[in-house]
Amino acid sequence: MGVIKRLDPIIANKIAAGEVVEKMANVVKELVENAIDAQATSIDVELKQSGLTLIKVVDNGIGMDEDDIIQAFERHATSKIESINDLFRIRSLGFRGEAIPSIASISKTTITSNPNDHAKCVVFDNGKFIQMSDASFNRGTKVEVEKIFHYTPARFKYIKSEQYELAMIQRLMYQFALSYPKISFHLTNDQKRLLSSNGKGNVTDIMGMIYGTNVAKALIPFEAKNRDYQIHGWTSKPVINRSNKNYIHIIVNHRVVQDPQIVHAILDSYHQMIPKQRYPVAVLYIDVDPILIDVNVHPRKQEIKFSEKRSLLVLIKETLSKILQDKPIFQEVKETEIQTRLDFSKPFQIEQAKENQSFSIEEKVESNDQKHEFEQMSTRENGNSRTEQEKVIPYMNYIGQYSGTYLLFQNESGLFMVDQHAAAERIRYERYLGEMTRHNQAIQSTIFGLKMDYPQDVLMTLKDQKAVLESIGVKVTFFDRYLLVKEVPHWFVKGYEDSYMETIIDRLLEEKSLAKADLINELAILLACKHSLKANHYITEKEADHLLSDLRRCQQPYTCPHGRPIIVNIKHSQIEHWFNRVI
């Protein structure tokens, strides 16, 4: 027959590389994990061109002799598993023996190692043995990976920019530093030092190095245990929160894992303490007997399976809830509190609310001539005459307000209910969108510059999006641990520059390649929501009529930018039917 044949070992390794090695960060991860398993106390990672040209990992671990180095290039060769029972009590990071042969199959890989006093150097190229020679090297191991993906160019389509790949590696090294605070880690790229931990075991120092001293000072320590699990770590005060989950680190037996249920348990602990869609900065260490977890359920071991997981989730939630409630935490009050006021006659005018001032539209409307001029301009821009506006939304009389949220109008056809917040959102959304897409946007300079602290990996990712920022009128300068905003568009409202910038940056980080048009549209939605008339706010008849007049000029006056309806019409005949006035 001869149809089924054993794969050539080199081909098998290249196939395995597809699972083990997807990007440069995967290579770094595998090599650093090997160094940790070799009991290293110091690990240096050196990159050239973010790893495209060279990835070098040097450790001071136990090293390998001549036979072990050669064996390391064989598939499924490992020093960490001897019997089937070892699979149920895994304490090492790597154990499958696929990393080195997979990496060597798609690159030129050189390993130099010294277990005692005699070093050997072995070279593999494109999965083939090239040579072995004596070398001069201290105790430990050095792995050099060059020409990554040179022999598999198709894999380059999965590689993004150098800055993005470097950011992934930095984030990985941050996780290693947190997982093993007693190991000294160093990371350099093109001879520039990006990370240096001292290995003294101080986690708050490492958090401060990554996220800044303000975060480190706001961390609250915690610890607890039950029958199966022991937890400890640090979490931030509620006033220190971020817009995504990337700042929550979960570490099980020194292994960084991803687990939505554990993240949810942490968030539940902050119930009503932080706004929705905001997340704390936290590092959670979970110590458990290896027999109670299975780390072999994910190709890259990023997820694990827990036994008695419910008891773990309860332990986390109860522990964090108690420490957060026991500590009084107050939000800092800004010098000036900016309030959004109802002013639909002048776009983007947001005034500071006066204390105990009544909400009157006469105080905000300009002269009748100016108001009439604006209304004419709005009509011309939308190409709508008064008659055309009536076709969009018929004219009707204001009769009152229900529950401080819904405006009530009537005409001969029946009753109309208008959601005042949804209507205001639609009006401001279209104004913001028009202003942001207008050519030759005016910009305004920030007086002292707006400083925004971010980890280096985030800053590396943002550098790729600098052109997008400039295209919407934002000019920034990047530094090692922060960026400085020097210019912003004129539609940035004073007092909201930091929240606008944070929103823009978060969207760029989430989407990576967000188009300018999509970014502008999402910003317009966000700003319209933030600065529109809210629910449960009583307004006058003139304000209600003015709101409806502006709504008529909108391109899409029937739904808010989120898709919710603005107007509900109840026919007069329907009302009469309810009261049995018609049969």
Side-chain angles (χ1 to χ4, degrees), residues 447-485:
I447 299 176
F448 300 107
L450 175 63
K451 182 182 177 183
M452 304 186 71
D453 295 321
Y454 282 97
Q456 285 186 341
D457 60 312
V458 172
L459 295 174
M460 288 291 181
T461 303
L462 289 176
K463 285 182 180 180
D464 283 346
Q465 304 290 352
K466 188 175 182 180
V468 177
L469 292 171
E470 291 177 349
S471 72
I472 61 173
V474 176
K475 184 176 181 181
V476 299
T477 300
F478 291 91
F479 296 88
D480 281 344
R481 300 192 181 277
Y482 67 93
L483 59 83
L484 194 65
V485 182

Side-chain angles (χ1 to χ4, degrees), residues 339-502:
Q339 297 287 343
T340 303
R341 301 179 62 188
L342 180 63
D343 183 8
F344 297 105
S345 64
K346 183 178 181 182
F348 316 112
Q349 179 177 331
I350 299 176
E351 303 172 356
Q352 182 176 344
K354 297 178 181 178
E355 187 175 359
N356 299 323
Q357 181 177 350
S358 61
F359 202 85
S360 175
I361 198 166
E362 285 83 2
E363 297 174 359
K364 297 176 285 300
V365 176
E366 298 175 73
S367 69
N368 289 334
D369 291 339
Q370 290 174 314
K371 177 182 176 183
H372 180 66
E373 179 183 355
F374 172 71
E375 290 177 348
Q376 286 183 327
M377 178 188 69
S378 299
T379 300
R380 288 195 303 269
E381 288 179 348
N382 289 281
N384 292 332
S385 65
R386 182 184 178 93
T387 303
E388 290 172 333
Q389 291 176 13
E390 290 184 28
K391 290 179 181 178
V392 175
I393 299 176
Y395 263 77
M396 42 199 174
N397 298 319
Y398 179 71
I399 58 175
Q401 188 179 24
Y402 170 68
S403 189
T405 301
Y406 304 100
L407 308 178
L408 305 179
F409 296 84
Q410 70 174 358
N411 62 17
E412 62 279 1
S413 69
L415 177 68
F416 294 82
M417 300 181 67
V418 178
D419 184 328
Q420 63 189 36
H421 176 64
E425 266 192 301
R426 167 54 62 180
I427 293 166
R428 286 195 173 273
Y429 165 74
E430 293 196 8
R431 289 178 179 170
Y432 273 118
L433 190 64
E435 192 70 15
M436 286 188 276
T437 54
R438 187 173 299 165
H439 296 297
N440 301 319
Q441 291 179 338
I443 60 174
Q444 55 181 327
S445 299
T446 53
I447 299 176
F448 300 107
L450 175 63
K451 182 182 177 183
M452 304 186 71
D453 295 321
Y454 282 97
Q456 285 186 341
D457 60 312
V458 172
L459 295 174
M460 288 291 181
T461 303
L462 289 176
K463 285 182 180 180
D464 283 346
Q465 304 290 352
K466 188 175 182 180
V468 177
L469 292 171
E470 291 177 349
S471 72
I472 61 173
V474 176
K475 184 176 181 181
V476 299
T477 300
F478 291 91
F479 296 88
D480 281 344
R481 300 192 181 277
Y482 67 93
L483 59 83
L484 194 65
V485 182
K486 296 184 176 180
E487 293 179 352
V488 296
H490 80 287
W491 45 265
F492 269 37
V493 180
K494 291 188 182 300
Y496 287 87
E497 294 93 341
D498 53 349
S499 62
Y500 289 9
M501 280 302 305
E502 185 180 41

Side-chain angles (χ1 to χ4, degrees), residues 14 44 86 106 159 161 163 167 197-198 203 205 221 225 251 257 281 321 328 383 467 480 530 556 573:
K14 289 183 184 292
D44 295 344
D86 292 338
I106 57 171
I159 300 299
S161 68
Q163 297 289 357
S197 66
N198 55 28
V203 175
D205 283 352
K225 65 179 180 179
I251 301 169
V257 300
V281 179
S321 296
D480 281 344
K530 280 191 173 183
Q556 300 178 23
S573 59

Side-chain angles (χ1 to χ4, degrees), residues 253-364:
N253 290 358
H254 299 287
R255 183 189 302 275
V256 175
V257 300
Q258 299 173 357
D259 194 300
Q261 288 183 303
I262 294 179
V263 171
H264 189 70
I266 294 173
L267 295 181
D268 281 350
S269 307
Y270 284 82
H271 179 61
Q272 296 185 350
M273 294 185 188
I274 59 177
K276 290 184 177 180
Q277 305 303 318
R278 303 291 296 184
Y279 305 90
V281 179
V283 53
L284 167 65
Y285 296 93
I286 302 173
D287 296 319
V288 57
D289 189 323
I291 201 170
L292 295 177
I293 59 175
D294 184 359
V295 302
N296 199 27
V297 296
H298 189 276
R300 290 184 298 277
K301 301 177 286 293
Q302 293 177 341
E303 301 172 6
I304 64 177
K305 184 176 181 180
F306 291 89
S307 175
E308 302 295 334
K309 189 173 186 179
R310 179 171 175 77
S311 70
L312 171 62
L313 298 178
V314 171
L315 178 65
I316 293 170
K317 183 177 178 179
E318 290 182 348
T319 303
L320 294 184
S321 296
K322 186 176 187 305
I323 66 159
L324 291 170
Q325 292 172 0
D326 288 347
K327 292 184 177 292
I329 298 172
F330 303 96
Q331 176 72 59
E332 295 180 3
V333 179
K334 297 182 180 179
E335 293 182 2
T336 58
E337 189 68 20
I338 304 296
Q339 297 287 343
T340 303
R341 301 179 62 188
L342 180 63
D343 183 8
F344 297 105
S345 64
K346 183 178 181 182
F348 316 112
Q349 179 177 331
I350 299 176
E351 303 172 356
Q352 182 176 344
K354 297 178 181 178
E355 187 175 359
N356 299 323
Q357 181 177 350
S358 61
F359 202 85
S360 175
I361 198 166
E362 285 83 2
E363 297 174 359
K364 297 176 285 300

